[in-house]
Amino acid sequence: MSAPLFPLFADLQGRRVLVVGGGPVAERKTEALLHAGARPRVGSPELSPRLRAWHEEGRIEWITGRFDAHWLSGAWLVIAATDDATVNRAVAAVAEARHVFANIVDDGELSSFQVPAIVERGPLQVAISSGGGAPMLARHLRRQLETLLDDSWASLADLFTRQRRRIRQRFPQTAERRRFFEKLLAGPLPRLYRQQLHTQAEQHFQAMLDEHVPSTRGGSVAVVGAGPGDAGLLTLNALRAMNEADVILHDRLVSEDVLRLGRRDATYIEVGKSATGQSTRQDDIHALMLEHARAGKRVVRLKGGDPFVFGRGGEEIEYLRAHGIPYEVVPGITAALACAAYAGIPLTHREHAQSVKLVTAHCKDSFDTLDWQALAQERQTLAVYMGVAGLEGLRDRLIAHGRAPSTPFALIENGSRRDQRVVNGSLADLPETARFHQVRSPALLILGEVAALADTLHWFGQPPIGAATPTHSRNLPTPTLQAA
Ligand code: SAH
């Protein structure tokens, strides 16, 4: 085993670096060198168009011809990026003899330094190295870090760099300074930057520096959409919020696959709503959010789909605002969009629909307040959030207001999940077909011409069932007969 590499960040500002080669790899390396303020000297018989442009702009020096030892004069580093093994070896040998560090692209053995994979957030850089042995692994890790570190890191690094001197003056002792930074980072500062509230962030920093902020504050709530179930449909912001959470208050609708991605040490509390006593439950949820945020915790209120689509997210942030708790909202993919996509139903296919309506109707009372005239219009798609109760009333009212009984529907049960089922049919037979196939919650109804496209465009899970059911027939076989 060779010894591990010694990691270092080199200051190349104004320093000459030799790049041997004029192709795409040399171009990438040169670009990185220019980014670091170096003065690249590119040695190659030919230059790529961009390298040529940089040369014409006077940003790089160009030496033509075959590699020669004198190219290295005055160089602090050299990068060989040619596809000619003989040239690469020659560069490595000359560099070694002159005590100049050399990187031979894709040749860890010949190289005396490695260029790490980088994640950059303003002045903050994370460099990853596998010692040259497993660059793919380093790149994989880099991608993971890219998703983990949001833009607030750049603002934080920038602020700390600008205020470095003042912080040192205020807290000359290292231990004090560390406590100050820990308090800052555990508090609202990162969130303020995420919310693009730069002025407030600076003010908060100022107050912290002057010790005008009581130290117990800092709790906040992120109201986060968890999407319909497939964990791949989470947003990066949702993932980050779940990774930073102390407490996760989640609906029953949030899938196991999603919950698994949350922070392990977080406290998970299911606040699923039961059919009875909904409003009390909502009050309990409010009380829980308040209690934990007031205790200084980072709370994630995790909701199925999108928090603002039939999710009572609005009431929750009104409540938080009224109680002075800072909050942020992370949208999620709502059931209508996810179910449509996963069933192969283009909601507004231009040949069939000009608009789409998101509708909910949970009980008879809410049924009566709906504008059935408008809902029964042609050339529109309805996405109905309601589970499976009330389909009869829905069918009868839509037909009574003029929607054609032959209008296709698709019921999507467990949309985007492993056990997704799509049931197809015509409006006339909607409740019977649902009953026959025992469609269960969560299920979303898509009604309109586009629903029929699931038959040909489906791509996920099992193909739609029920398409062969004879329409306009109320004499469907009973489930027991079917099961036999
Ligand atoms: N805020 C959620 C909706 C909450 S209302 C969102 O934006 O998706 C609950 C209703 O959403 C369910 O009764 C069902 O109609 C629908 N729903 C949610 N997730 C679903 C899923 N994975 N598959 C089918 N329907 C779903």
Side-chain angles (χ1 to χ4, degrees):
M1 269 290 281
S2 51
L5 298 174
F6 180 78
L8 67 86
F9 286 88
D11 178 4
L12 293 181
Q13 184 84 38
R15 301 204 156 116
R16 176 176 293 160
V17 178
L18 175 65
V19 177
V20 184
V25 180
E27 181 184 304
R28 266 204 316 278
K29 302 291 172 188
T30 305
E31 188 171 28
L33 290 168
L34 283 171
H35 182 56
R39 287 193 297 127
R41 167 189 278 174
V42 179
S44 169
E46 277 302 327
L47 290 188
S48 75
R50 275 182 89 206
L51 282 168
R52 193 174 282 274
W54 288 331
H55 172 59
E56 277 156 19
E57 291 161 15
R59 299 178 68 192
I60 64 171
E61 187 191 338
W62 179 20
I63 321 184
T64 48
R66 276 192 72 75
F67 171 68
D68 186 278
H70 82 261
W71 287 11
L72 261 96
S73 62
W76 292 69
L77 294 174
V78 53
I79 297 176
T82 80
D83 45 17
D84 184 332
T86 326
V87 175
N88 286 349
R89 260 198 307 280
V91 174
V94 176
E96 184 74 25
R98 297 204 180 183
H99 298 188
V100 175
F101 278 111
N103 176 258
I104 315 300
V105 172
D106 285 337
D107 194 331
E109 304 251 310
L110 275 184
S111 299
S112 52
F113 79 92
Q114 303 288 342
V115 182
I118 285 283
V119 180
E120 203 170 7
R121 294 290 179 273
L124 188 74
Q125 292 189 321
V126 185
I128 306 150
S129 162
S130 64
M136 291 310 283
L137 195 65
R139 252 168 264 161
H140 183 65
L141 177 58
R142 189 192 65 124
R143 272 195 298 274
Q144 298 215 337
L145 291 177
E146 281 285 0
T147 65
L148 232 66
L149 306 180
D150 63 61
D151 270 347
S152 69
W153 289 86
S155 309
L156 288 168
D158 184 57
L159 174 77
F160 292 171
T161 309
R162 276 187 286 118
Q163 301 288 346
R164 189 151 179 266
R165 189 118 52 80
R166 292 185 57 217
I167 297 169
R168 279 180 169 265
Q169 273 164 3
R170 178 74 183 74
F171 303 107
Q173 308 283 340
T174 319
E176 278 184 314
R177 215 157 48 231
R178 191 182 312 130
R179 267 198 304 281
F180 172 69
F181 279 118
E182 274 167 9
K183 230 160 66 183
L184 262 188
L185 292 172
L189 197 60
R191 175 180 54 77
L192 290 170
Y193 279 124
R194 274 201 304 276
Q195 289 175 245
Q196 299 299 325
L197 301 174
H198 290 258
T199 316
Q200 281 96 320
E202 301 263 339
Q203 282 165 355
H204 173 78
F205 172 82
Q206 229 7 278
M208 288 287 284
L209 204 61
D210 305 341
E211 279 186 326
H212 282 154
V213 180
S215 57
T216 49
R217 296 275 297 276
S220 63
V221 178
V223 180
V224 176
D230 178 350
L233 296 180
L234 276 176
T235 64
L236 292 181
N237 285 350
L239 202 58
R240 286 193 282 255
M242 287 167 61
N243 265 301
E244 287 174 4
D246 301 309
V247 177
I248 298 183
L249 303 175
H250 64 92
D251 283 351
R252 216 172 9 184
L253 212 55
V254 175
S255 74
E256 282 297 317
D257 287 354
V258 166
L259 289 176
R260 254 198 293 280
L261 297 177
R263 188 171 146 211
R264 280 230 206 123
D265 313 336
T267 308
Y268 290 79
I269 305 175
E270 189 187 303
V271 291
K273 292 194 197 111
S274 55
T276 54
Q278 272 215 7
S279 57
T280 6
R281 294 298 288 150
Q282 191 64 38
D283 286 348
D284 290 348
I285 294 168
H286 288 172
L288 276 170
M289 290 195 302
L290 190 62
E291 176 195 330
H292 290 290
R294 286 223 167 125
K297 302 279 199 274
R298 278 163 299 192
V299 179
V300 161
R301 171 73 181 103
L302 194 60
K303 304 165 85 70
D306 179 88
F308 284 179
V309 178
F310 309 129
R312 307 190 76 166
E315 287 154 66
E316 289 174 9
I317 66 170
E318 277 165 2
Y319 179 84
L320 294 169
R321 166 134 308 208
H323 289 79
I325 304 292
Y327 58 84
E328 49 192 318
V329 182
V330 179
I333 297 192
T334 189
L337 302 187
C339 290
Y342 277 64
I345 300 174
L347 286 171
T348 60
H349 193 297
R350 52 186 295 174
E351 279 166 28
H352 309 288
Q354 288 165 317
S355 65
V356 56
K357 282 205 174 91
L358 309 188
V359 189
T360 190
H362 273 291
C363 54
K364 191 162 172 322
D365 291 350
S366 58
F367 251 55
D368 293 335
T369 59
L370 288 171
D371 180 353
W372 293 100
Q373 199 69 45
L375 293 179
Q377 295 290 314
E378 306 278 305
R379 290 190 61 78
Q380 70 173 340
T381 307
L382 300 184
V384 189
Y385 293 66
M386 64 182 304
V388 280
L391 291 178
E392 203 134 11
L394 180 91
R395 184 247 338 256
D396 294 347
R397 284 173 170 83
L398 283 175
I399 291 179
H401 286 84
R403 195 71 158 128
S406 60
T407 309
F409 76 80
L411 265 168
I412 299 115
E413 179 190 80
N414 289 313
S416 87
R417 301 176 185 214
R418 273 182 283 273
D419 44 1
Q420 168 176 306
R421 282 202 307 165
V422 179
V423 174
N424 265 2
S426 302
L427 178 58
D429 304 316
L430 170 60
E432 291 80 10
T433 312
R435 215 175 305 132
F436 176 72
H437 291 294
Q438 303 187 4
V439 176
R440 290 205 167 77
S441 202
L444 182 105
L445 170 70
I446 296 180
L447 185 89
E449 277 65 31
V450 293
L453 296 173
D455 254 345
T456 44
L457 297 181
H458 71 85
W459 58 273
F460 179 82
Q462 296 302 310
I465 47 175
T469 310
T471 52
H472 305 290
S473 144
R474 298 288 157 87
N475 303 319
L476 288 162
T478 62
T480 38
L481 272 178
Q482 176 73 8

PDB file of all heavy atoms in Angstrom, residues 403-428:
ATOM      1  N   ARG A 403     -72.861  16.146 -18.783  1.00  0.00           N
ATOM      2  CA  ARG A 403     -71.658  15.442 -19.221  1.00  0.00           C
ATOM      3  C   ARG A 403     -72.095  14.105 -19.828  1.00  0.00           C
ATOM      4  O   ARG A 403     -72.984  13.425 -19.280  1.00  0.00           O
ATOM      5  CB  ARG A 403     -70.743  15.196 -18.005  1.00  0.00           C
ATOM      6  CG  ARG A 403     -69.311  14.789 -18.366  1.00  0.00           C
ATOM      7  CD  ARG A 403     -68.529  15.955 -18.960  1.00  0.00           C
ATOM      8  NE  ARG A 403     -67.072  15.768 -18.836  1.00  0.00           N
ATOM      9  CZ  ARG A 403     -66.226  15.868 -19.862  1.00  0.00           C
ATOM     10  NH1 ARG A 403     -66.676  16.123 -21.081  1.00  0.00           N
ATOM     11  NH2 ARG A 403     -64.937  15.739 -19.668  1.00  0.00           N
ATOM     12  N   ALA A 404     -71.486  13.727 -20.955  1.00  0.00           N
ATOM     13  CA  ALA A 404     -71.907  12.506 -21.650  1.00  0.00           C
ATOM     14  C   ALA A 404     -71.661  11.273 -20.781  1.00  0.00           C
ATOM     15  O   ALA A 404     -70.591  11.150 -20.188  1.00  0.00           O
ATOM     16  CB  ALA A 404     -71.135  12.374 -22.954  1.00  0.00           C
ATOM     17  N   PRO A 405     -72.616  10.351 -20.717  1.00  0.00           N
ATOM     18  CA  PRO A 405     -72.433   9.131 -19.924  1.00  0.00           C
ATOM     19  C   PRO A 405     -71.242   8.303 -20.420  1.00  0.00           C
ATOM     20  O   PRO A 405     -70.669   7.524 -19.667  1.00  0.00           O
ATOM     21  CB  PRO A 405     -73.745   8.364 -20.140  1.00  0.00           C
ATOM     22  CG  PRO A 405     -74.736   9.386 -20.556  1.00  0.00           C
ATOM     23  CD  PRO A 405     -73.971  10.437 -21.306  1.00  0.00           C
ATOM     24  N   SER A 406     -70.861   8.488 -21.682  1.00  0.00           N
ATOM     25  CA  SER A 406     -69.759   7.704 -22.247  1.00  0.00           C
ATOM     26  C   SER A 406     -68.384   8.314 -21.933  1.00  0.00           C
ATOM     27  O   SER A 406     -67.358   7.787 -22.345  1.00  0.00           O
ATOM     28  CB  SER A 406     -69.923   7.618 -23.760  1.00  0.00           C
ATOM     29  OG  SER A 406     -69.914   8.931 -24.296  1.00  0.00           O
ATOM     30  N   THR A 407     -68.344   9.441 -21.203  1.00  0.00           N
ATOM     31  CA  THR A 407     -67.056  10.082 -20.893  1.00  0.00           C
ATOM     32  C   THR A 407     -66.149   9.090 -20.155  1.00  0.00           C
ATOM     33  O   THR A 407     -66.557   8.500 -19.155  1.00  0.00           O
ATOM     34  CB  THR A 407     -67.262  11.321 -20.000  1.00  0.00           C
ATOM     35  OG1 THR A 407     -68.255  12.154 -20.593  1.00  0.00           O
ATOM     36  CG2 THR A 407     -65.972  12.089 -19.822  1.00  0.00           C
ATOM     37  N   PRO A 408     -64.929   8.902 -20.665  1.00  0.00           N
ATOM     38  CA  PRO A 408     -64.038   7.929 -20.017  1.00  0.00           C
ATOM     39  C   PRO A 408     -63.541   8.419 -18.655  1.00  0.00           C
ATOM     40  O   PRO A 408     -63.407   9.623 -18.436  1.00  0.00           O
ATOM     41  CB  PRO A 408     -62.850   7.833 -20.980  1.00  0.00           C
ATOM     42  CG  PRO A 408     -63.264   8.519 -22.228  1.00  0.00           C
ATOM     43  CD  PRO A 408     -64.328   9.496 -21.868  1.00  0.00           C
ATOM     44  N   PHE A 409     -63.317   7.469 -17.754  1.00  0.00           N
ATOM     45  CA  PHE A 409     -62.676   7.801 -16.482  1.00  0.00           C
ATOM     46  C   PHE A 409     -61.531   6.823 -16.227  1.00  0.00           C
ATOM     47  O   PHE A 409     -61.474   5.739 -16.809  1.00  0.00           O
ATOM     48  CB  PHE A 409     -63.681   7.735 -15.320  1.00  0.00           C
ATOM     49  CG  PHE A 409     -64.026   6.340 -14.881  1.00  0.00           C
ATOM     50  CD1 PHE A 409     -63.170   5.618 -14.042  1.00  0.00           C
ATOM     51  CD2 PHE A 409     -65.200   5.730 -15.314  1.00  0.00           C
ATOM     52  CE1 PHE A 409     -63.481   4.316 -13.659  1.00  0.00           C
ATOM     53  CE2 PHE A 409     -65.513   4.433 -14.928  1.00  0.00           C
ATOM     54  CZ  PHE A 409     -64.647   3.718 -14.110  1.00  0.00           C
ATOM     55  N   ALA A 410     -60.627   7.238 -15.348  1.00  0.00           N
ATOM     56  CA  ALA A 410     -59.613   6.322 -14.821  1.00  0.00           C
ATOM     57  C   ALA A 410     -59.551   6.564 -13.320  1.00  0.00           C
ATOM     58  O   ALA A 410     -59.506   7.707 -12.871  1.00  0.00           O
ATOM     59  CB  ALA A 410     -58.255   6.590 -15.455  1.00  0.00           C
ATOM     60  N   LEU A 411     -59.622   5.481 -12.578  1.00  0.00           N
ATOM     61  CA  LEU A 411     -59.433   5.567 -11.131  1.00  0.00           C
ATOM     62  C   LEU A 411     -58.038   5.032 -10.862  1.00  0.00           C
ATOM     63  O   LEU A 411     -57.720   3.906 -11.247  1.00  0.00           O
ATOM     64  CB  LEU A 411     -60.456   4.693 -10.416  1.00  0.00           C
ATOM     65  CG  LEU A 411     -61.746   5.347  -9.933  1.00  0.00           C
ATOM     66  CD1 LEU A 411     -62.733   4.274  -9.527  1.00  0.00           C
ATOM     67  CD2 LEU A 411     -61.488   6.313  -8.778  1.00  0.00           C
ATOM     68  N   ILE A 412     -57.214   5.846 -10.208  1.00  0.00           N
ATOM     69  CA  ILE A 412     -55.844   5.404  -9.941  1.00  0.00           C
ATOM     70  C   ILE A 412     -55.694   5.196  -8.441  1.00  0.00           C
ATOM     71  O   ILE A 412     -55.797   6.136  -7.655  1.00  0.00           O
ATOM     72  CB  ILE A 412     -54.807   6.418 -10.465  1.00  0.00           C
ATOM     73  CG1 ILE A 412     -54.964   6.556 -11.976  1.00  0.00           C
ATOM     74  CG2 ILE A 412     -53.398   5.956 -10.153  1.00  0.00           C
ATOM     75  CD1 ILE A 412     -55.396   7.893 -12.421  1.00  0.00           C
ATOM     76  N   GLU A 413     -55.468   3.959  -8.088  1.00  0.00           N
ATOM     77  CA  GLU A 413     -55.335   3.591  -6.676  1.00  0.00           C
ATOM     78  C   GLU A 413     -53.843   3.458  -6.369  1.00  0.00           C
ATOM     79  O   GLU A 413     -53.109   2.871  -7.167  1.00  0.00           O
ATOM     80  CB  GLU A 413     -56.056   2.251  -6.462  1.00  0.00           C
ATOM     81  CG  GLU A 413     -56.012   1.690  -5.076  1.00  0.00           C
ATOM     82  CD  GLU A 413     -56.559   0.255  -5.072  1.00  0.00           C
ATOM     83  OE1 GLU A 413     -55.810  -0.665  -5.442  1.00  0.00           O
ATOM     84  OE2 GLU A 413     -57.731   0.070  -4.719  1.00  0.00           O
ATOM     85  N   ASN A 414     -53.391   4.000  -5.251  1.00  0.00           N
ATOM     86  CA  ASN A 414     -51.983   3.935  -4.862  1.00  0.00           C
ATOM     87  C   ASN A 414     -51.054   4.430  -5.972  1.00  0.00           C
ATOM     88  O   ASN A 414     -50.050   3.791  -6.285  1.00  0.00           O
ATOM     89  CB  ASN A 414     -51.581   2.516  -4.476  1.00  0.00           C
ATOM     90  CG  ASN A 414     -52.205   2.102  -3.166  1.00  0.00           C
ATOM     91  OD1 ASN A 414     -52.175   2.860  -2.193  1.00  0.00           O
ATOM     92  ND2 ASN A 414     -52.808   0.930  -3.136  1.00  0.00           N
ATOM     93  N   GLY A 415     -51.410   5.559  -6.553  1.00  0.00           N
ATOM     94  CA  GLY A 415     -50.647   6.100  -7.669  1.00  0.00           C
ATOM     95  C   GLY A 415     -49.163   6.225  -7.345  1.00  0.00           C
ATOM     96  O   GLY A 415     -48.797   6.652  -6.262  1.00  0.00           O
ATOM     97  N   SER A 416     -48.328   5.815  -8.277  1.00  0.00           N
ATOM     98  CA  SER A 416     -46.852   5.873  -8.233  1.00  0.00           C
ATOM     99  C   SER A 416     -46.246   4.861  -7.272  1.00  0.00           C
ATOM    100  O   SER A 416     -45.033   4.795  -7.137  1.00  0.00           O
ATOM    101  CB  SER A 416     -46.332   7.276  -7.893  1.00  0.00           C
ATOM    102  OG  SER A 416     -46.250   7.460  -6.486  1.00  0.00           O
ATOM    103  N   ARG A 417     -47.092   4.096  -6.589  1.00  0.00           N
ATOM    104  CA  ARG A 417     -46.545   3.112  -5.641  1.00  0.00           C
ATOM    105  C   ARG A 417     -46.464   1.748  -6.304  1.00  0.00           C
ATOM    106  O   ARG A 417     -47.066   1.510  -7.343  1.00  0.00           O
ATOM    107  CB  ARG A 417     -47.417   3.037  -4.393  1.00  0.00           C
ATOM    108  CG  ARG A 417     -47.498   4.394  -3.717  1.00  0.00           C
ATOM    109  CD  ARG A 417     -48.421   4.384  -2.548  1.00  0.00           C
ATOM    110  NE  ARG A 417     -48.520   5.742  -2.032  1.00  0.00           N
ATOM    111  CZ  ARG A 417     -48.679   6.062  -0.752  1.00  0.00           C
ATOM    112  NH1 ARG A 417     -48.779   5.118   0.143  1.00  0.00           N
ATOM    113  NH2 ARG A 417     -48.738   7.315  -0.387  1.00  0.00           N
ATOM    114  N   ARG A 418     -45.748   0.849  -5.630  1.00  0.00           N
ATOM    115  CA  ARG A 418     -45.545  -0.492  -6.191  1.00  0.00           C
ATOM    116  C   ARG A 418     -46.857  -1.185  -6.512  1.00  0.00           C
ATOM    117  O   ARG A 418     -46.975  -1.933  -7.462  1.00  0.00           O
ATOM    118  CB  ARG A 418     -44.745  -1.354  -5.206  1.00  0.00           C
ATOM    119  CG  ARG A 418     -43.254  -1.207  -5.360  1.00  0.00           C
ATOM    120  CD  ARG A 418     -42.545  -2.129  -4.386  1.00  0.00           C
ATOM    121  NE  ARG A 418     -42.572  -1.561  -3.040  1.00  0.00           N
ATOM    122  CZ  ARG A 418     -41.671  -0.714  -2.576  1.00  0.00           C
ATOM    123  NH1 ARG A 418     -40.656  -0.371  -3.330  1.00  0.00           N
ATOM    124  NH2 ARG A 418     -41.758  -0.197  -1.370  1.00  0.00           N
ATOM    125  N   ASP A 419     -47.876  -0.922  -5.684  1.00  0.00           N
ATOM    126  CA  ASP A 419     -49.153  -1.615  -5.862  1.00  0.00           C
ATOM    127  C   ASP A 419     -50.184  -0.759  -6.603  1.00  0.00           C
ATOM    128  O   ASP A 419     -51.382  -0.915  -6.412  1.00  0.00           O
ATOM    129  CB  ASP A 419     -49.707  -2.055  -4.505  1.00  0.00           C
ATOM    130  CG  ASP A 419     -49.581  -0.950  -3.462  1.00  0.00           C
ATOM    131  OD1 ASP A 419     -49.085   0.147  -3.819  1.00  0.00           O
ATOM    132  OD2 ASP A 419     -49.973  -1.165  -2.305  1.00  0.00           O
ATOM    133  N   GLN A 420     -49.698   0.130  -7.469  1.00  0.00           N
ATOM    134  CA  GLN A 420     -50.630   0.983  -8.222  1.00  0.00           C
ATOM    135  C   GLN A 420     -51.591   0.131  -9.063  1.00  0.00           C
ATOM    136  O   GLN A 420     -51.197  -0.859  -9.657  1.00  0.00           O
ATOM    137  CB  GLN A 420     -49.848   1.918  -9.148  1.00  0.00           C
ATOM    138  CG  GLN A 420     -50.728   2.631 -10.181  1.00  0.00           C
ATOM    139  CD  GLN A 420     -49.959   3.629 -11.026  1.00  0.00           C
ATOM    140  OE1 GLN A 420     -49.287   4.507 -10.513  1.00  0.00           O
ATOM    141  NE2 GLN A 420     -50.051   3.498 -12.341  1.00  0.00           N
ATOM    142  N   ARG A 421     -52.867   0.547  -9.079  1.00  0.00           N
ATOM    143  CA  ARG A 421     -53.850  -0.066  -9.979  1.00  0.00           C
ATOM    144  C   ARG A 421     -54.576   1.045 -10.711  1.00  0.00           C
ATOM    145  O   ARG A 421     -54.891   2.078 -10.120  1.00  0.00           O
ATOM    146  CB  ARG A 421     -54.899  -0.859  -9.190  1.00  0.00           C
ATOM    147  CG  ARG A 421     -54.431  -2.209  -8.722  1.00  0.00           C
ATOM    148  CD  ARG A 421     -55.604  -3.133  -8.440  1.00  0.00           C
ATOM    149  NE  ARG A 421     -56.585  -2.539  -7.528  1.00  0.00           N
ATOM    150  CZ  ARG A 421     -57.819  -3.010  -7.363  1.00  0.00           C
ATOM    151  NH1 ARG A 421     -58.227  -4.065  -8.053  1.00  0.00           N
ATOM    152  NH2 ARG A 421     -58.651  -2.434  -6.516  1.00  0.00           N
ATOM    153  N   VAL A 422     -54.841   0.820 -11.985  1.00  0.00           N
ATOM    154  CA  VAL A 422     -55.627   1.785 -12.753  1.00  0.00           C
ATOM    155  C   VAL A 422     -56.872   1.067 -13.252  1.00  0.00           C
ATOM    156  O   VAL A 422     -56.776   0.005 -13.862  1.00  0.00           O
ATOM    157  CB  VAL A 422     -54.812   2.340 -13.946  1.00  0.00           C
ATOM    158  CG1 VAL A 422     -55.661   3.329 -14.746  1.00  0.00           C
ATOM    159  CG2 VAL A 422     -53.534   3.007 -13.462  1.00  0.00           C
ATOM    160  N   VAL A 423     -58.005   1.647 -12.946  1.00  0.00           N
ATOM    161  CA  VAL A 423     -59.274   1.062 -13.381  1.00  0.00           C
ATOM    162  C   VAL A 423     -59.926   2.026 -14.361  1.00  0.00           C
ATOM    163  O   VAL A 423     -60.115   3.202 -14.051  1.00  0.00           O
ATOM    164  CB  VAL A 423     -60.200   0.810 -12.174  1.00  0.00           C
ATOM    165  CG1 VAL A 423     -61.569   0.337 -12.644  1.00  0.00           C
ATOM    166  CG2 VAL A 423     -59.582  -0.204 -11.220  1.00  0.00           C
ATOM    167  N   ASN A 424     -60.254   1.517 -15.536  1.00  0.00           N
ATOM    168  CA  ASN A 424     -60.833   2.333 -16.609  1.00  0.00           C
ATOM    169  C   ASN A 424     -62.318   2.045 -16.797  1.00  0.00           C
ATOM    170  O   ASN A 424     -62.760   0.940 -16.504  1.00  0.00           O
ATOM    171  CB  ASN A 424     -60.140   1.984 -17.932  1.00  0.00           C
ATOM    172  CG  ASN A 424     -59.006   2.929 -18.233  1.00  0.00           C
ATOM    173  OD1 ASN A 424     -58.715   3.822 -17.450  1.00  0.00           O
ATOM    174  ND2 ASN A 424     -58.374   2.733 -19.368  1.00  0.00           N
ATOM    175  N   GLY A 425     -63.009   3.000 -17.356  1.00  0.00           N
ATOM    176  CA  GLY A 425     -64.406   2.750 -17.693  1.00  0.00           C
ATOM    177  C   GLY A 425     -65.069   4.028 -18.175  1.00  0.00           C
ATOM    178  O   GLY A 425     -64.391   5.006 -18.501  1.00  0.00           O
ATOM    179  N   SER A 426     -66.406   4.006 -18.201  1.00  0.00           N
ATOM    180  CA  SER A 426     -67.170   5.180 -18.621  1.00  0.00           C
ATOM    181  C   SER A 426     -67.958   5.725 -17.440  1.00  0.00           C
ATOM    182  O   SER A 426     -68.376   4.965 -16.562  1.00  0.00           O
ATOM    183  CB  SER A 426     -68.155   4.814 -19.733  1.00  0.00           C
ATOM    184  OG  SER A 426     -67.443   4.267 -20.813  1.00  0.00           O
ATOM    185  N   LEU A 427     -68.175   7.019 -17.502  1.00  0.00           N
ATOM    186  CA  LEU A 427     -68.853   7.714 -16.408  1.00  0.00           C
ATOM    187  C   LEU A 427     -70.129   6.997 -15.961  1.00  0.00           C
ATOM    188  O   LEU A 427     -70.410   6.877 -14.768  1.00  0.00           O
ATOM    189  CB  LEU A 427     -69.174   9.156 -16.853  1.00  0.00           C
ATOM    190  CG  LEU A 427     -69.927  10.032 -15.862  1.00  0.00           C
ATOM    191  CD1 LEU A 427     -69.183  10.157 -14.542  1.00  0.00           C
ATOM    192  CD2 LEU A 427     -70.177  11.423 -16.476  1.00  0.00           C
ATOM    193  N   ALA A 428     -70.887   6.479 -16.930  1.00  0.00           N
ATOM    194  CA  ALA A 428     -72.165   5.839 -16.618  1.00  0.00           C
ATOM    195  C   ALA A 428     -72.007   4.721 -15.587  1.00  0.00           C
ATOM    196  O   ALA A 428     -72.894   4.503 -14.762  1.00  0.00           O
ATOM    197  CB  ALA A 428     -72.785   5.289 -17.899  1.00  0.00           C
TER     198      ALA A 428
END
